Each structure stands twice: as C-alpha cells, then as structure tokens.
Amino acid sequence: MLPRAYEGQDCSIAGALGVVGDRWTLLVLREAFLRNHRFEDMQRRLGVARNVLTDRLARLVEDGLLERVRYQERPERFEYRLTEKGLDLWPVIVALMQWGDRHRDDGRRPMVLYHRGCEGEVDDRRMCTACGAALNPGDVEAVRDGARRRAMAPA
Amino acid sequence: MLPRAYEGQDCSIAGALGVVGDRWTLLVLREAFLRNHRFEDMQRRLGVARNVLTDRLARLVEDGLLERVRYQERPERFEYRLTEKGLDLWPVIVALMQWGDRHRDDGRRPMVLYHRGCEGEVDDRRMCTACGAALNPGDVEAVRDGARRRAMAPA
C-alpha cells in the first residue's frame, strides 16, 4: 500500500494508481471494454477467484468506473458497464497494450485494434493509421488472432 | 498474483501488467522520468521502505526498463536511468496522470506538462495544444505548481 504522506504524494499518477493500481482491476476493465459485462464471463475468462472478482467489481462500482445494470428480472441478474469515468481509462489500457506488444519476446500481437469500417489500425496516439482520425473507444474494434471482430467499446 | 493460465492470458495488457502492474513500480518510473535517478532521492520523495525500493529497482533493471550507471568512482555510486524500453512507458504514465487529473475531486492539476519552448501543453494524444507537434519525453517539461520547470525526460 502507498503511505498516506510522502513528498511526491500530490500527484495524479499516484491518485490514478490508488484506483486502478492493481493488475486484476485493469484486467477486469479490459473485459468490460471487450464487452464481457457479466460476472460469470469475466470469472471464466480471467480465471480469477470469485471472491477477488467480487471485491474488484464492488470497488470499481464504488469508485464510479463501472455501473451495475439489471439485465434480467426473474431471477434478477446484473451486469457491469463502463461509466464515462471508466471509459476515460481507454488511453491507459491502449498504452499498456501497445507497450506490451512492442516488448513481447515473440514479436506477435495477440490482439489488433482497428478503426471500424476503415481497415486502419490504432497508432500510438490513438489515431487511425489509414485516415488519420482521432479515435475513441466506440470507433475501434479489437480482433484477436483473426477471429471475428469484437468491439473494443461498450454497446 | 496472476495465475499462469487463464483464457485471457495471451494478452499484451496482462504482459505489461506483469512487469509494471504494481503501484510502486510505476511511481519509481515516474521519478526516473522526473530526473530523480538516485536511490536516496527516490526514497525520500516516495517515502517508500528501503527494502521495497531496492526490490523494485532490481526488478526494473532485470526487466530492462532501468539501467544502473556509475556516476562516482570513490566511493562507487550508481544511479538509475531509463532505457529505451523504460522510455517507451511514457504514454502509460502520461495517460494515468491525465486520467487522475480529470477525475480529481479538487479539479487541480498538481503538475502540468508543457511543450518545451512553446508554451503549449501536452494533450490527451501527446500532441502540443499550441503547435500540434507529436511530442516525446524529451520535448516536454513538467511544471509543479508553478515551480521551476523540470524536464520530464532523462538528460
């Protein structure tokens, strides 16, 4: 844990890490960006312990990055959707992915982000490599190993 | 810790978080970007336990993000400088800072990143708000609360 008081404390990087400075938290958010909004899907894909996932989801809701939305009445079922505050983390997630791609030992890119309907890719400033447009989450689809394209943004 | 095997494992986000998915690690890198290269300076500014800082620095050297450089011979003294791989994390750190700024309760920005010699600021795609240049770490200076400008990049 970070101490309450240190010289470099008045810092928005430290503030951000206080909210998302945990690997599971960012991977849960990754799943939300990939439209996997439901507990069971997230749990299966992440292989995370249920109590850990429950904890991270509750914190993300409390911190206002996800909202819990009912999608079924009987029995009641809920899913987790990104708020504006959560969507604002997209640049962090894209930057982490691009750094990870660049420094992989195998030189592969497990997932590629395309400008939807354009064939250009998302460059390191989140601009389209083909048309130059400044891209936002809703403009982009994530393609894994040539599989069916998936939106990298919530519906 | 992340498990060895999970469905979403083949992922550069998870790979990146395996290296930098720790708050202290990213704050140590922040210090290196702010030209605080020495153990004693980092320790004082971060208020981190010495053994924790020693551990994180050793890992960052092992992972190739920092290099240990001798700056004095008698007695021998070393400092920690960003490698290319470490410098490549700049977009992640800038994105975290901008998200933190945007969602602070007090609306302040503890530190502002300027395009050196231009007065423009670094926007959310790391372009200059004044001249539109695509900025890299060496082009930018970080100013804290109007204090003397500091480089946000290693010398």
Side-chain angles (χ1 to χ4, degrees), chain B residues 23-95:
Chain B
R23 294 180 213 182
W24 282 123
T25 299
L26 282 164
L27 292 173
V28 168
L29 290 167
R30 177 194 71 183
E31 292 303 315
F33 275 104
L34 289 169
R35 288 190 176 171
N36 299 309
H37 298 301
R38 299 182 183 174
F39 186 94
E40 299 299 332
D41 291 340
M42 290 184 176
Q43 198 274 323
R44 181 176 46 78
R45 289 175 48 90
L46 294 169
V48 58
R50 300 179 72 87
N51 63 322
V52 173
L53 181 56
T54 299
D55 172 77
R56 296 307 190 279
L57 286 169
R59 284 199 215 176
L60 285 165
V61 170
E62 187 180 348
D63 287 330
L65 281 74
L66 294 178
E67 58 185 345
R68 197 161 166 266
V69 178
R70 190 173 64 186
Y71 69 89
Q72 181 182 299
E73 286 203 14
R74 290 182 193 175
E76 277 197 321
R77 300 270 187 234
F78 295 87
E79 58 186 18
Y80 297 87
R81 299 219 164 237
L82 290 160
T83 62
E84 281 298 312
K85 186 175 178 181
L87 284 166
D88 281 349
L89 271 172
W90 192 59
V92 173
I93 288 177
V94 171

Side-chain angles (χ1 to χ4, degrees), chain A residues 7 10 34 39-40 48 53 67 69 74 99 129 136 152:
Chain A
E7 191 179 336
D10 183 25
L34 290 169
F39 186 95
E40 299 298 334
V48 59
L53 181 57
E67 58 185 346
V69 178
R74 290 182 193 178
W99 185 85
T129 55
N136 291 308
M152 189 69 184

Side-chain angles (χ1 to χ4, degrees), chain A residues 1-3 6-8 10-14 16-21 23-24 26-27 30 44-47 65 85 88-89 91-93 95-97 99-104 108 110 124-127 134-136 144-145, chain B residues 1-3 6-8 10-14 16-21 23-24 26-27 30 44-47 65 85 88-89 91-93 95-97 99-104 108 110 124-127 134-136 144-145:
Chain A
M1 293 295 291
L2 295 174
Y6 61 97
E7 191 179 336
D10 183 25
C11 166
S12 290
I13 302 169
L17 293 172
V19 179
V20 297
R23 294 179 212 184
W24 282 123
L26 282 164
L27 292 173
R30 177 194 71 184
R44 181 176 47 77
R45 289 176 47 89
L46 294 169
L65 280 74
K85 186 175 178 180
D88 281 348
L89 271 172
V92 173
I93 289 177
L96 279 168
M97 183 183 128
W99 185 85
D101 279 343
R102 188 161 181 174
H103 296 285
R104 286 177 72 89
R108 287 191 315 114
D124 66 335
R125 296 175 200 275
R126 305 186 314 285
M127 322 274 279
L135 302 174
N136 291 308
R144 167 172 289 282
D145 294 337
Chain B
M1 293 296 291
L2 296 174
Y6 62 99
E7 191 179 336
D10 183 24
C11 166
S12 290
I13 301 170
L17 293 173
V19 179
V20 299
R23 294 180 213 182
W24 282 123
L26 282 164
L27 292 173
R30 177 194 71 183
R44 181 176 46 78
R45 289 175 48 90
L46 294 169
L65 281 74
K85 186 175 178 181
D88 281 349
L89 271 172
V92 173
I93 288 177
L96 280 168
M97 183 183 128
W99 185 85
D101 279 344
R102 189 162 180 173
H103 295 286
R104 287 177 71 88
R108 287 191 315 113
D124 66 336
R125 295 174 202 274
R126 305 185 315 285
M127 322 274 278
L135 302 174
N136 291 308
R144 168 173 289 281
D145 293 335

Side-chain angles (χ1 to χ4, degrees), chain A residues 30-98:
Chain A
R30 177 194 71 184
E31 292 303 315
F33 275 104
L34 290 169
R35 288 190 176 170
N36 299 309
H37 299 301
R38 298 181 183 176
F39 186 95
E40 299 298 334
D41 291 339
M42 290 184 177
Q43 198 272 325
R44 181 176 47 77
R45 289 176 47 89
L46 294 169
V48 59
R50 300 178 72 87
N51 63 321
V52 172
L53 181 57
T54 299
D55 171 77
R56 296 306 190 279
L57 287 168
R59 284 199 215 177
L60 285 165
V61 170
E62 188 180 345
D63 287 331
L65 280 74
L66 294 177
E67 58 185 346
R68 196 161 168 266
V69 178
R70 190 173 64 186
Y71 69 88
Q72 181 181 298
E73 287 202 14
R74 290 182 193 178
E76 277 197 321
R77 299 269 188 235
F78 295 89
E79 58 187 19
Y80 296 87
R81 300 221 163 235
L82 289 160
T83 62
E84 281 297 313
K85 186 175 178 180
L87 284 166
D88 281 348
L89 271 172
W90 193 58
V92 173
I93 289 177
V94 172
L96 279 168
M97 183 183 128
Q98 291 175 335

